[in-house]
Amino acid sequence: MAKLEADGSSPSRVVGSLTTPRAAALAGVLFAVLFITVVLLVRAAMPETVDGSIEWVESRRGGIRIAATLMPFAGIAFLWFIAVVRDGLGIFEDRFFASVFLGSGLLFLATIFFATSVAAGLAATGTDTDDETMVFAMTVVMATCKTFATRMAAVFMISLATIWWKTGLMPRWLVVLTYLTAAAQLIAGELSMWVTVAFPVWVIVVSGLLLARAGLLDREV
């Protein structure tokens, strides 16, 4: 049965169907697949250290261009995931932690969009860019992904895990797993760009649980 809107009116059946756990789970899975693909493409094309040759820009620019094309769609899916998960909190939503949850999620997207845009700029200019500018741009991409994006993802997970802990909306094992994953992102975020992949993997776990709770996995088999 569809929930009532804030003004007491009943939403249409179409709107009600869009705010189901299935919508959140599918959006989360789509984001995770696209985001992991983007990370793999960028990581395969761009060396993690800035003291190597810049010839990769000319030979591997295709992967970065594909990553730049996919990233907006990953962002759209993540926004949908945020919206439906927040809707699922309902009356249990804590204004303080919900604000941190929403803000950190938007900042995560902003940093990832920025890093992908800079990488796409590198691919577009090619080897025509001087070495100093190339090193600067690569440093910006790596710092944005490994320092800022991973931290924002960690804050996103911590705030949501805290809401789950206080309300009991999710099992304790998922709360503990979320805290541990967030701690790893906070501590080891700068060690490797691969740490960024832990976040979409966590999103897949959450999405799988939402699907299982809705009984959709068994129904669609």
Side-chain angles (χ1 to χ4, degrees):
M1 183 177 181
K3 296 185 293 185
L4 293 179
E5 298 287 352
D7 59 358
S9 62
S10 177
S12 65
R13 180 172 299 180
V14 174
V15 175
S17 66
L18 295 180
T19 57
T20 61
R22 180 180 185 179
L26 294 180
V29 171
L30 179 60
F31 158 74
V33 171
L34 290 176
F35 185 72
I36 291 175
T37 302
V38 169
V39 172
L40 292 176
L41 288 172
V42 173
R43 184 62 188 87
M46 182 182 295
E48 195 159 350
T49 58
V50 297
D51 55 355
S53 172
I54 64 172
E55 296 302 321
W56 63 268
V57 179
E58 193 68 32
S59 61
R60 306 176 187 174
R61 64 171 64 186
I64 294 181
R65 286 175 175 172
I66 296 174
T69 302
L70 294 178
M71 192 62 233
F73 297 100
I76 293 171
F78 187 66
L79 284 175
W80 190 272
F81 178 76
I82 290 178
V84 184
V85 169
R86 187 184 178 194
D87 179 76
L89 299 176
I91 61 174
F92 299 104
E93 182 180 50
D94 183 286
R95 290 184 178 180
F96 176 82
F97 288 106
S99 298
V100 178
F101 158 71
L102 180 60
S104 58
L106 295 179
L107 285 174
F108 168 78
L109 273 187
T111 54
I112 291 298
F113 280 177
F114 175 74
T116 308
S117 298
V118 175
L122 283 176
T125 56
T127 54
D128 295 335
T129 306
D130 60 88
D131 292 353
E132 291 184 358
T133 302
M134 183 69 66
V135 170
F136 172 77
M138 290 178 61
T139 303
V140 169
V141 172
M142 293 301 172
T144 303
C145 292
K146 295 163 59 177
T147 303
F148 298 99
T150 53
R151 265 61 174 196
M152 288 302 98
V155 173
F156 179 88
M157 289 187 286
I158 290 172
S159 58
L160 191 56
T162 303
I163 296 175
W164 290 339
W165 182 278
K166 294 175 62 177
T167 61
L169 291 175
M170 287 293 186
R172 294 297 186 188
W173 66 263
L174 179 60
V175 174
V176 173
L177 176 64
T178 302
Y179 279 130
L180 292 176
T181 306
Q185 296 243 354
L186 285 173
I187 297 172
E190 295 187 15
L191 297 181
S192 174
M193 191 174 176
W194 291 111
V195 179
T196 311
V197 178
F199 180 63
V201 171
W202 170 82
V203 172
I204 290 179
V205 173
V206 175
S207 300
L209 182 59
L210 291 173
L211 280 172
R213 282 190 165 187
L216 294 172
L217 291 179
D218 294 334
R219 190 183 309 170
E220 295 181 358
V221 171

